[in-house]
Short mmCIF file of all heavy atoms in Angstrom, two decimals:
data_model
loop_
_atom_site.label_atom_id
_atom_site.label_comp_id
_atom_site.label_asym_id
_atom_site.label_seq_id
_atom_site.Cartn_x
_atom_site.Cartn_y
_atom_site.Cartn_z
N ARG A 160 -26.24 6.03 -224.46
CA ARG A 160 -27.45 6.35 -223.70
C ARG A 160 -28.41 5.38 -224.02
O ARG A 160 -28.45 4.88 -225.32
CB ARG A 160 -27.83 7.74 -224.08
CG ARG A 160 -27.96 8.73 -222.84
CD ARG A 160 -28.19 10.10 -223.13
NE ARG A 160 -29.48 10.43 -223.62
CZ ARG A 160 -30.04 11.70 -223.71
NH1 ARG A 160 -29.34 12.60 -223.34
NH2 ARG A 160 -31.28 11.83 -224.00
N LEU A 161 -29.32 4.87 -223.22
CA LEU A 161 -30.25 3.86 -223.44
C LEU A 161 -31.22 4.27 -224.54
O LEU A 161 -31.84 3.49 -225.30
CB LEU A 161 -31.09 3.57 -222.20
CG LEU A 161 -30.34 2.63 -221.16
CD1 LEU A 161 -31.18 2.40 -219.92
CD2 LEU A 161 -30.06 1.26 -221.95
N ASP A 162 -31.54 5.66 -224.58
CA ASP A 162 -32.46 6.10 -225.56
C ASP A 162 -31.92 6.40 -227.01
O ASP A 162 -32.65 6.68 -227.97
CB ASP A 162 -33.27 7.44 -225.18
CG ASP A 162 -32.38 8.56 -224.85
OD1 ASP A 162 -31.12 8.45 -225.10
OD2 ASP A 162 -32.79 9.55 -224.25
N GLU A 163 -30.59 6.10 -227.25
CA GLU A 163 -30.01 6.37 -228.47
C GLU A 163 -30.59 5.64 -229.68
O GLU A 163 -30.79 6.02 -230.82
CB GLU A 163 -28.60 6.10 -228.56
CG GLU A 163 -27.81 7.32 -227.94
CD GLU A 163 -26.26 7.05 -227.81
OE1 GLU A 163 -25.55 6.76 -228.84
OE2 GLU A 163 -25.81 7.27 -226.68
N ALA A 164 -31.11 4.34 -229.36
CA ALA A 164 -31.73 3.53 -230.40
C ALA A 164 -33.05 4.21 -230.93
O ALA A 164 -33.35 3.90 -232.07
CB ALA A 164 -32.01 2.15 -229.74
N ILE A 165 -33.78 5.02 -230.07
CA ILE A 165 -34.90 5.63 -230.54
C ILE A 165 -34.68 7.09 -231.07
O ILE A 165 -35.56 7.66 -231.69
CB ILE A 165 -36.05 5.49 -229.48
CG1 ILE A 165 -37.44 5.72 -230.07
CG2 ILE A 165 -35.80 6.28 -228.34
CD1 ILE A 165 -38.00 4.65 -231.05
N LEU A 166 -33.70 7.61 -230.48
CA LEU A 166 -33.36 9.02 -230.79
C LEU A 166 -32.97 9.21 -232.33
O LEU A 166 -33.43 10.25 -232.94
CB LEU A 166 -32.24 9.60 -229.94
CG LEU A 166 -32.54 10.12 -228.55
CD1 LEU A 166 -31.36 10.42 -227.74
CD2 LEU A 166 -33.50 11.33 -228.65
N TYR A 167 -32.33 8.22 -232.90
CA TYR A 167 -31.80 8.27 -234.29
C TYR A 167 -32.38 7.18 -234.98
O TYR A 167 -32.45 6.02 -234.65
CB TYR A 167 -30.27 8.04 -234.23
CG TYR A 167 -29.43 9.13 -233.49
CD1 TYR A 167 -28.96 8.97 -232.17
CD2 TYR A 167 -29.19 10.34 -234.22
CE1 TYR A 167 -28.26 10.05 -231.54
CE2 TYR A 167 -28.48 11.34 -233.54
CZ TYR A 167 -28.01 11.19 -232.26
OH TYR A 167 -27.28 12.26 -231.60
N SER A 168 -32.81 7.55 -236.30
CA SER A 168 -33.25 6.59 -237.18
C SER A 168 -32.15 5.72 -237.69
O SER A 168 -30.93 6.16 -237.74
CB SER A 168 -33.97 7.18 -238.34
OG SER A 168 -33.16 8.08 -239.03
N PRO A 169 -32.38 4.45 -237.89
CA PRO A 169 -31.22 3.60 -238.52
C PRO A 169 -30.66 4.13 -239.84
O PRO A 169 -31.54 4.62 -240.59
CB PRO A 169 -31.83 2.19 -238.61
CG PRO A 169 -33.32 2.38 -238.56
CD PRO A 169 -33.63 3.73 -237.86
N GLU A 170 -29.45 4.08 -240.03
CA GLU A 170 -28.83 4.59 -241.16
C GLU A 170 -29.03 3.48 -242.37
O GLU A 170 -28.90 2.41 -242.15
CB GLU A 170 -27.38 5.02 -241.04
CG GLU A 170 -27.33 6.32 -240.36
CD GLU A 170 -26.01 6.68 -240.06
OE1 GLU A 170 -25.34 6.08 -239.15
OE2 GLU A 170 -25.32 7.57 -240.69
N LEU A 171 -29.35 4.13 -243.56
CA LEU A 171 -29.64 3.07 -244.64
C LEU A 171 -28.36 2.91 -245.36
O LEU A 171 -27.50 3.60 -245.46
CB LEU A 171 -30.79 3.74 -245.57
CG LEU A 171 -32.06 3.98 -244.91
CD1 LEU A 171 -33.07 4.67 -245.78
CD2 LEU A 171 -32.70 2.77 -244.33
#
Side-chain angles (χ1 to χ4, degrees):
R160 234 171 81 162
L161 280 175
D162 58 8
E163 277 176 57
I165 193 74
L166 279 171
Y167 295 99
S168 56
E170 282 174 290
L171 303 174

